[in-house]
C-alpha cells in the first residue's frame, strides 16, 4: 500500500488542480474575460460515416497540427479570428475549411476517398514530419490504406506479415505466426486487440493472421522505446485498434477470394449516438487440398473462421464507451485421425473521456481466453489433449496537459492469469481407451504495474520523454511444489520432498522498477538525432523447441525456479526527410541485454511435463543490430526499402557441467538471421489500376546437424554435439499483384479486383530441416518447404 500512495496522491493533486482551473475559468467568463475559444470537431467518411482516425488537422495561420483520435475527434484552442483548416488523410481528398472563431463550438467534417493520385500531391495519414519532431523511437504505425497497397498473401492483406517487411522485424519462415523483433523471441511480443492480449495470432499455423483487416482501424508496433503504460513483455508491443461502425449511415465491406472470404456490416443503432459493426471471415481451402496430387493432402482438412463485433456509444462529445468482441477458431487434420484445433476469444469494454482541455482518461477492462485441443479418434487409443490460458484485467490511463508541448501520463494496470498447461482425457466414444488420464497442475499469477511518464519540448531543438514503471508479480497456489537437494542440478534424482500451497497462498513474488527515456535533438527542421533506453520485465515464458509459435508450445509462469525475463535495450538513431517529405530515411542501431531466457536441455520432454524445471535451464541473451529504412511517399511510384543486420545470441553457463550448452560459448538463437532485406514497390498504372511487388531476402536460420549415430537398446539414434552451428539455405521470394477497378453501370463492377502471384519464380524456401535414419548410412536430412511453387490468387472486394 505504501508503494501506491505516491500515485494516489499525484492523481488527487492533478484532479484538484484541474477543478481549481475550471473554477478560475468560470470566474473569468463571468467578468467577460473570455480569452480562449475552444473548438471541437469530428471527422468522418462521407460515404460510410465511419470516423477517420489519425488524420491531420492543420490551422494554416498558426502552423499548428492536431491528429484525430480513435473517434475521429480533434480539439483546438484559438483566439478570436478567421482561420483556414487543412485536413489530410491517406487515400482521401484534401479538405480546405475556412471558418471564423467567435465562440466555443463544435464542427463536423466529412472526407471522400479518391481512387489514386497521379499528380504530385502529398496526402498523409499523419503529421508528415512526426518521425523528425517526435521523441518516439521504433514506433511503427501503419494505416490500413497503406497496407492494402501491398501484395496480398493467399488473397488478402495481412497485418503480421506487413510488419515483417519493416526493419528490425522478421519471421522465421512462410508458415510462421510469430514475430521476432530486434532479437526477441515470439513470446516477447505482447499483442493487444482492443486492449486484450491475444496469445496465438494465427490461422492455419501461420499462413493467415487471425485478424480481419476490414475491422481493424490502425495498429502500432513499439519496438524500441515502449511507453510506460505498457508492460509484461520484453521485446515489443503490438497495439491493434478495431474500427467502430458509422453513427449515421449503413454500409459494409465484402471480399471473395480463392481460399477465403469475408463480410462486415455496420451502421447506427441509435442515430448519432450508438453504432454497431460486425465482421465475419472464413475459409474454404478444402477444395484446394482436394485438388492436390499428394494423397496425404487430399485426405486432409483445414478450416478457420473469425468473428468480430464492436458496439460504440457516445455519452456526449467528450465521453464514449466501446464494447469489442473477438473470436477465432481453427481446426486442422493432416491425413490422420488426429485433429488439432485452437480458439482465441476476448471481450473488451473501453471508456474514453475528456474531463477538460487538460485531463483525459482511458479505461479498459478485458477478458481473454486461448484454448488448444488435440483430438485423436483412432479407436482404442482415443484421447483429447486440452490446454489454455485465461487473462482477466483492468487498465487505467490518464493524461494531463501541462502546456501545449508539455504533458504527463500516469495510471496502472492489473490482471489475473491462469494457465492450464495440459490435460490428457481418454476417449470413450468407441469403447474403453488404452490411454491413461493425466493432468498437469494449473498455474495462477497476478501481474500489476503503476507508471508515470513526462513528455516535453525545449523549443524547436530538444524533445524529451522519460518515465518509470513499477512492475509487481505474484505466483499463487493451489500447487504442490517439489523441493530439491541444495547445490545440485534440478533433476529427478535430486528430489527430497514436496510442499503444498493452498488456494490463493503466495508461492513467489517478484518486482522491479523499469525506467524508460528518449531524447530528440533536431539539427534542422528535416533532421534529428534520437537516443533512448528501455527496461522491461516479462513474467511469462514460452517453452518450445521450435522457432515459431505452435499450438503445442508450453506457456509457463515465473515461479521459484523460473525468474522473470529482464530486458535492457539501448537505441540510437538519425532521421532525415528529403525533398519536401517525399522521402523518409532513418538509420538506427540497438543493443539488448536479456536475462533469464530459457533454453531446453538436450533431450527435453515438454508435452504434459509436470516439472518443467527438470527439462529447461536459464541462460543469457544478447542482441544487437543496425537498421536502415528508406521510404518514398509521393508520386506514381511509392514504397520502401528496409535492411537489417542483426545478431541474436544465447549462452548457458551453470555450476553443473551437464547443463552447460556448447561449452558455455555464445551460440545463435533459433531465429538469428544476420541479413534481412525487403523491397516494396507500388506503381500506379492509371487512376484505376496499380501494380505492387515485394522482394524479400534473409539469411537462413540456424539448425543443429547430427555428427554421428549410435545403437542403443536396439534403436539407431543420432548424436548431436553442438547446438545451432549450421544454417538452412537462405530465404528469398518475389510476390507480385495487380490491383484494378472495372468501371461499369452497376455497383458490382465498381469493386476492387486483385490478382496476385506469390513466390513468382517458384523458390522452394526451406522452413525446417529434419533427419531420418537409414540403415548402413549417416542420418539423412530432409527439407520442408511450405510454398514451393508459384501460387496465384484472385480476390474481389466491394465497399457498400
Amino acid at each position: 500500500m505504501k508503494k501506491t500512495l505516491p500515485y494516489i496522491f499525484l492523481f488527487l493533486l492533478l484532479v484538484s488542480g484541474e477543478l481549481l482551473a475550471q473554477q478560475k475559468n468560470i470566474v473569468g467568463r463571468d467578468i467577460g474575460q473570455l480569452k480562449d475559444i475552444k473548438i471541437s470537431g469530428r471527422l468522418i467518411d462521407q460515404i460510410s460515416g465511419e470516423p477517420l482516425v489519425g488524420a491531420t488537422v492543420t490551422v494554416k495561420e498558426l502552423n499548428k497540427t492536431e491528429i484525430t483520435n480513435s473517434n475521429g475527434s480533434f480539439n483546438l484552442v484559438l483566439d478570436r479570428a478567421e482561420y483556414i483548416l487543412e485536413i489530410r488523410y491517406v487515400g482521401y481528398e484534401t479538405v480546405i475549411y475556412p471558418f471564423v472563431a467567435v465562440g466555443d463550438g463544435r464542427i463536423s467534417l466529412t472526407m471522400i476517398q479518391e481512387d489514386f493520385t497521379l499528380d504530385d500531391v502529398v496526402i498523409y495519414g499523419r503529421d508528415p514530419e512526426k518521425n523528425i519532431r517526435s521523441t518516439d523511437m521504433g514506433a511503427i504505425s501503419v494505416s490500413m490504406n497503406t497496407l492494402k497497397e501491398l501484395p496480398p498473401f493467399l488473397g488478402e492483406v495481412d497485418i503480421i506479415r506487413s510488419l515483417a517487411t519493416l526493419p528490425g522485424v522478421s519471421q522465421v519462415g512462410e508458415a510462421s505466426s510469430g514475430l521476432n523483433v530486434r532479437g526477441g523471441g515470439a513470446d516477447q511480443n505482447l499483442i493487444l486487440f482492443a486492449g486484450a492480449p491475444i496469445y496465438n495470432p494465427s490461422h492455419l499455423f501461420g499462413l493467415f493472421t487471425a485478424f480481419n483487416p476490414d475491422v481493424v482501424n490502425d495498429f502500432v508496433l513499439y519496438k524500441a522505446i515502449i511507453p510506460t503504460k505498457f508492460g509484461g513483455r520484453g521485446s515489443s508491443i503490438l497495439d491493434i485498434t478495431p474500427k467502430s461502425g458509422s453513427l449515421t449511415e449503413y454500409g459494409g465491406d465484402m471480399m471473395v477470394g480463392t481460399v477465403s472470404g469475408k463480410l462486415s456490416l455496420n451502421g447506427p443503432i441509435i442515430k448519432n449516438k450508438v453504432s454497431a459493426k460486425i465482421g465475419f471471415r472464413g475459409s474454404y481451402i478444402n477444395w484446394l487440398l482436394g485438388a492436390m496430387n499428394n494423397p496425404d493432402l487430399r485426405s486432409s482438412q483445414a478450416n478457420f473462421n473469425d468473428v468480430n463485433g464492436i458496439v460504440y456509444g457516445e455519452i456526449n462529445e467528450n465521453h464514449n464507451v466501446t464494447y469489442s468482441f473477438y473470436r477465432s477458431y481453427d481446426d486442422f487434420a493432416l491425413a490422420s485421425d488426429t485433429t488439432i484445433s485452437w480458439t482465441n476469444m476476448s471481450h473488451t469494454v473501453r471508456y474514453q473521456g475528456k474531463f477538460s482541455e487538460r485531463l483525459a482518461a482511458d479505461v479498459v477492462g478485458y477478458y481473454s481466453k486461448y484454448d488448444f485441443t488435440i483430438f485423436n479418434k483412432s479407436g482404442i487409443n482415443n484421447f483429447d489433449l486440452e490446454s489454455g490460458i485465461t487473462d482477466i484485467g483492468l487498465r487505467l490511463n490518464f493524461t494531463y496537459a501541462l502546456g501545449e508541448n508539455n504533458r504527463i501520463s500516469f495510471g496502472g494496470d492489473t490482471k489475473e492469469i491462469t494457465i492450464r498447461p495440459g490435460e490428457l482425457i481418454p476417449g470413450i466414444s468407441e469403447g474403453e481407451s488404452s490411454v491413461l488420464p493425466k493432468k498437469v497442475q494449473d498455474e495462477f499469477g497476478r501481474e500489476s504495474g503503476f507508471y508515470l511518464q513526462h513528455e516535453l519540448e525545449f523549443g524547436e531543438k530538444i524533445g524529451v520523454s522519460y518515465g518509470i514503471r513499477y512492475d509487481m508479480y505474484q505466483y499463487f497456489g493451489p500447487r504442490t511444489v517439489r523441493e530439491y537437494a541444495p547445490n545440485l542440478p534440478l533433476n529427478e534424482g535430486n528430489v527430497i520432498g514436496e510442499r503444498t500451497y493452498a488456494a490463493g497462498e503466495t508461492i513467489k513474488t517478484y518486482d522491479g522498477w523499469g525506467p524508460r527515456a528518449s531524447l530528440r535533438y533536431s539539427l534542422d527542421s528535416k533532421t534529428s538525432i534520437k537516443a533512448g533506453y528501455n527496461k522491461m520485465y516479462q513474467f511469462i515464458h514460452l517453452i518450445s523447441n521450435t522457432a515459431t509459435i505452435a499450438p503445442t508450445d508450453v506457456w509457463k509462469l515465473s515461479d521459484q525456479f523460473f525468474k522473470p525475463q529482464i530486458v535492457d535495450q539501448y537505441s540510437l538513431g538519425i532521421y532525415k526527410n528529403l525533398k519536401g517529405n517525399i522521402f523518409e530515411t532513418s538509420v538506427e542501431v540497438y543493443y539488448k541485454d536479456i536475462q533469464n531466457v530459457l533454453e531446453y536441455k538436450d533431450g527435453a520432454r515438454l508435452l504434459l511435463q509436470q516439472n518443467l524445471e527438470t527439462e529447461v535451464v536459464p541462460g543469457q541473451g544478447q542482441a544487437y543490430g543496425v537498421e536502415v529504412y528508406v521510404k518514398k511517399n509521393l508520386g506514381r511510384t511509392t514504397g520502401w526499402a528496409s535492411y537489417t543486420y542483426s545478431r541474436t545470441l544465447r549462452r548457458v553457463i551453470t555450476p553443473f557441467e551437464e547443463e552447460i550448452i556448447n561449452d558455455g560459448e555464445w551460440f545463435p538463437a533459433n531465429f538469428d538471421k544476420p541479413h534481412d532485406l525487403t523491397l516494396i514497390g507500388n506503381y500506379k498504372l492509371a487512376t484505376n489500376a496499380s501494380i505492387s511487388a515485394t522482394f524479400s531476402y534473409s539469411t537462413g536460420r540456424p539448425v543443429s546437424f547430427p555428427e554421428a549415430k549410435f545403437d542403443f537398446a536396439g534403436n539407431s539414434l543420432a548424436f548431436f554435439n553442438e547446438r545451432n552451428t549450421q544454417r538452412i539455405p537462405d530465404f528469398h521470394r518475389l510476390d507480385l499483384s495487380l490491383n484494378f477497378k472495372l468501371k461499369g453501370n452497376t455497383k458490382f463492377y465498381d469493386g476492387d479486383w486483385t490478382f496476385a502471384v506469390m513466390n513468382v519464380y517458384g523458390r522452394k524456401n526451406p522452413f525446417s530441416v529434419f533427419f531420418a535414419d537409414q540403415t548402413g548410412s549417416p542420418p539423412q536430412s530432409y527439407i520442408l518447404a511450405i510454398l514451393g511453387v508459384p501460387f496465384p490468387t484472385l480476390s474481389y472486394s466491394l465497399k457498400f
Side-chain angles (χ1 to χ4, degrees):
M1 185 62 186
K2 292 180 180 179
K3 295 178 180 178
T4 64
L5 286 176
Y7 297 95
I8 297 174
F9 175 78
L10 176 63
F11 174 72
L12 295 175
L13 179 64
L14 291 174
V15 172
S16 300
E18 182 58 34
L19 294 175
L20 181 60
Q22 290 181 3
Q23 183 178 7
K24 290 181 178 179
N25 189 46
I26 293 172
V27 173
R29 289 173 182 269
D30 287 342
I31 62 176
Q33 295 179 347
L34 179 61
K35 295 183 179 181
D36 295 326
I37 295 174
K38 299 179 178 61
I39 304 294
S40 62
R42 190 162 187 261
L43 189 62
I44 62 175
D45 184 288
Q46 182 172 318
I47 303 300
S48 67
E50 296 176 356
L52 300 180
V53 180
T56 61
V57 181
T58 302
V59 183
K60 296 186 68 66
E61 291 77 6
L62 305 177
N63 195 27
K64 178 179 180 181
T65 299
E66 296 289 332
I67 308 297
T68 57
N69 62 19
S70 59
N71 187 34
S73 298
F74 61 91
N75 293 278
L76 300 169
V77 179
L78 305 169
D79 293 331
R80 184 185 180 107
E82 295 183 1
Y83 298 98
I84 295 177
L85 294 183
E86 183 179 72
I87 305 167
R88 297 181 177 188
Y89 190 66
V90 63
Y92 285 73
E93 295 181 357
T94 301
V95 172
I96 303 297
Y97 183 80
F99 71 102
V100 179
V102 295
D104 295 352
R106 179 174 174 81
I107 56 178
S108 181
L109 301 169
T110 63
M111 299 186 76
I112 190 168
Q113 289 189 11
E114 60 176 14
D115 293 334
F116 297 99
T117 303
L118 295 181
D119 299 326
D120 286 348
V121 177
V122 184
I123 300 180
Y124 295 102
R126 57 171 177 78
D127 181 353
E129 296 179 357
K130 183 179 179 181
N131 63 318
I132 303 296
R133 295 190 290 106
S134 75
T135 55
D136 293 338
M137 290 191 69
I140 301 172
S141 179
V142 181
S143 72
M144 295 309 299
N145 286 320
T146 299
L147 186 63
K148 291 175 182 178
E149 294 182 357
L150 300 180
F153 187 82
L154 297 180
E156 63 177 66
V157 295
D158 190 293
I159 293 174
I160 300 294
R161 293 186 183 279
S162 70
L163 291 171
T165 67
L166 298 168
V169 186
S170 64
Q171 292 183 298
V172 296
E174 289 168 322
S176 171
S177 61
L179 292 173
N180 300 113
V181 180
R182 288 193 166 183
D187 65 317
Q188 291 183 328
N189 308 308
L190 177 60
I191 299 176
L192 299 173
F193 184 81
I198 304 297
Y199 284 89
N200 189 354
S202 71
H203 287 310
L204 294 182
F205 296 98
L207 288 177
F208 288 83
T209 301
F211 302 113
N212 183 349
D214 287 344
V215 298
V216 173
N217 188 71
D218 61 13
F219 54 96
V220 181
L221 178 72
Y222 300 96
K223 63 186 176 78
I225 308 304
I226 299 174
T228 54
K229 67 179 179 180
F230 295 116
R233 291 297 190 276
S235 186
S236 73
I237 308 293
L238 176 57
D239 190 14
I240 304 173
T241 303
K243 183 188 296 183
S244 58
S246 170
L247 290 169
T248 57
E249 304 287 343
Y250 294 99
D253 298 270
M254 180 190 74
M255 190 280 286
V256 179
T258 51
V259 295
S260 66
K262 54 188 176 182
L263 174 68
S264 64
L265 302 170
N266 77 92
I269 299 176
I270 301 175
K271 196 166 185 178
N272 296 319
K273 283 292 184 182
V274 181
S275 70
K277 186 179 186 73
I278 186 170
F280 173 81
R281 183 173 59 150
S283 69
Y284 32 83
I285 198 173
N286 286 326
W287 75 268
L288 184 62
L289 295 176
M292 296 292 182
N293 293 326
N294 189 308
D296 288 339
L297 291 177
R298 285 201 305 270
S299 60
S300 300
Q301 288 189 342
N303 300 282
F304 75 79
N305 61 70
D306 52 61
V307 180
N308 294 86
I310 301 100
V311 178
Y312 169 82
E314 282 194 354
I315 302 172
N316 55 44
E317 64 181 34
N318 291 321
H319 302 271
N320 61 77
V321 177
T322 305
Y323 165 74
S324 300
F325 168 76
Y326 167 73
R327 182 184 184 274
S328 70
Y329 173 80
D330 278 78
D331 66 67
F332 181 81
L334 178 60
S336 69
D337 297 313
T338 301
T339 299
I340 299 174
S341 72
W342 63 95
T343 302
N344 291 292
M345 183 179 68
S346 69
H347 299 268
T348 305
V349 178
R350 185 170 199 163
Y351 161 77
Q352 293 176 298
K354 190 170 186 180
F355 301 107
S356 69
E357 293 300 319
R358 291 175 176 260
L359 182 63
D362 185 3
V363 182
V364 177
Y366 61 84
Y367 171 87
S368 177
K369 186 177 182 181
Y370 168 63
D371 288 311
F372 162 69
T373 307
I374 297 178
F375 304 94
N376 183 284
K377 304 301 179 185
S378 59
I380 193 171
N381 292 320
N382 287 358
F383 69 84
D384 292 351
L385 176 61
E386 301 177 351
S387 63
I389 306 175
T390 301
D391 281 9
I392 303 175
L394 178 67
R395 188 177 299 115
L396 295 89
N397 302 313
F398 298 91
T399 303
Y400 188 84
L402 300 171
E404 184 175 354
N405 297 309
N406 186 359
R407 69 172 187 173
I408 62 172
S409 303
F410 59 97
D413 56 78
T414 185
K415 76 171 183 178
E416 301 278 346
I417 180 170
T418 301
I419 295 183
R420 303 176 302 283
E423 181 176 8
L424 186 64
I425 305 172
I428 57 174
S429 59
E430 299 180 16
E432 195 70 25
S433 173
S434 62
V435 176
L436 297 177
K438 183 177 182 179
K439 178 175 172 59
V440 181
Q441 297 181 84
D442 292 346
E443 294 192 287
F444 306 91
R446 177 184 300 131
E447 294 183 30
S448 302
F450 299 94
Y451 77 90
L452 176 68
Q453 185 160 330
H454 187 196
E455 300 171 70
L456 71 160
E457 294 185 7
F458 300 97
E460 296 291 329
K461 289 287 186 180
I462 299 176
V464 178
S465 176
Y466 64 93
I468 194 164
R469 179 181 175 89
Y470 176 69
D471 286 298
M472 299 175 292
Y473 169 78
Q474 294 170 288
Y475 186 65
F476 294 118
R479 189 169 183 83
T480 299
V481 179
R482 277 182 174 180
E483 296 178 336
Y484 295 88
N487 303 318
L488 291 174
L490 303 181
N491 58 43
E492 299 289 340
N494 294 324
V495 179
I496 60 174
E498 291 183 340
R499 179 178 175 180
T500 299
Y501 292 86
E505 185 178 358
T506 300
I507 301 174
K508 187 65 178 178
T509 300
Y510 294 101
D511 64 352
W513 293 93
R516 305 173 196 178
S518 61
L519 170 68
R520 183 262 303 164
Y521 180 78
S522 297
L523 301 177
D524 54 50
S525 62
K526 303 297 182 183
T527 311
S528 66
I529 298 174
K530 302 179 187 179
Y533 168 74
N534 196 76
K535 190 181 190 72
M536 302 289 290
Y537 292 85
Q538 179 170 328
F539 304 102
I540 189 171
H541 311 262
L542 182 65
I543 302 175
S544 172
N545 56 7
T546 66
T548 180
I549 292 179
T552 52
D553 291 338
V554 178
W555 291 90
K556 176 74 178 72
L557 291 177
S558 292
D559 58 16
Q560 69 273 39
F561 303 114
F562 299 105
K563 296 180 180 180
Q565 298 181 55
I566 304 175
V567 180
D568 294 272
Q569 181 177 185
Y570 307 84
S571 304
L572 178 67
I574 182 168
Y575 308 80
K576 187 173 184 62
N577 289 0
L578 303 170
K579 294 187 176 181
N581 301 317
I582 295 176
F583 291 93
E584 296 179 20
T585 66
S586 66
V587 178
E588 292 187 27
V589 295
Y590 68 89
Y591 174 81
K592 275 185 179 180
D593 178 72
I594 309 170
Q595 302 177 44
N596 305 320
V597 64
L598 299 181
E599 290 287 333
Y600 62 91
K601 297 179 181 179
D602 293 334
R605 295 178 294 109
L606 305 181
L607 190 62
L608 290 175
Q609 176 56 249
Q610 191 75 255
N611 301 284
L612 281 169
E613 66 272 10
T614 65
E615 307 298 322
V616 297
V617 61
Q620 298 172 272
Q622 67 174 2
Y624 54 87
V626 56
E627 303 168 356
V628 181
Y629 183 59
V630 179
K631 182 180 181 183
K632 185 174 185 288
N633 296 304
L634 176 64
R636 295 179 70 102
T637 302
T638 57
W640 64 83
S642 68
Y643 169 74
T644 304
Y645 173 79
S646 63
R647 296 306 311 271
T648 305
L649 307 174
R650 298 287 188 262
R651 182 171 66 179
V652 176
I653 301 177
T654 77
F656 314 109
E657 184 176 354
E658 64 266 34
E659 294 181 344
I660 297 175
I661 298 175
N662 286 19
D663 296 323
E665 300 294 330
W666 290 99
F667 62 92
N670 288 342
F671 43 86
D672 174 66
K673 300 195 300 182
H675 300 282
D676 197 320
L677 171 69
T678 301
L679 303 175
I680 302 285
N682 182 274
Y683 180 73
K684 297 171 183 175
L685 300 169
T687 57
N688 62 338
S690 68
I691 187 170
S692 301
T694 299
F695 175 77
S696 302
Y697 167 83
S698 64
T699 308
R701 65 181 182 85
V703 292
S704 302
F705 287 172
E707 297 187 7
K709 74 173 186 177
F710 60 93
D711 292 327
F712 178 78
N715 297 313
S716 183
L717 303 176
F719 172 70
F720 295 84
N721 185 30
E722 293 187 334
R723 186 173 301 185
N724 291 354
T725 55
Q726 289 82 27
R727 292 183 180 272
I728 64 176
D730 293 351
F731 174 97
H732 54 88
R733 194 182 79 196
L734 174 66
D735 303 331
L736 295 174
S737 70
L738 175 64
N739 309 280
F740 57 93
K741 178 178 289 189
L742 298 178
K743 296 296 183 181
N745 297 324
T746 64
K747 196 164 189 176
F748 171 80
Y749 288 103
D750 286 337
D752 294 314
W753 295 82
T754 300
F755 174 72
V757 180
M758 313 301 297
N759 197 19
V760 172
Y761 50 83
R763 165 75 171 173
K764 289 182 173 59
N765 284 299
F767 180 75
S768 64
V769 176
F770 60 95
F771 301 90
D773 183 61
Q774 186 172 334
T775 303
S777 65
Q780 301 298 301
S781 63
Y782 297 88
I783 292 176
L784 172 64
I786 302 299
L787 192 66
V789 297
F791 192 94
T793 60
L794 178 66
S795 62
Y796 166 75
S797 60
L798 175 67
K799 190 178 184 68
F800 56 89

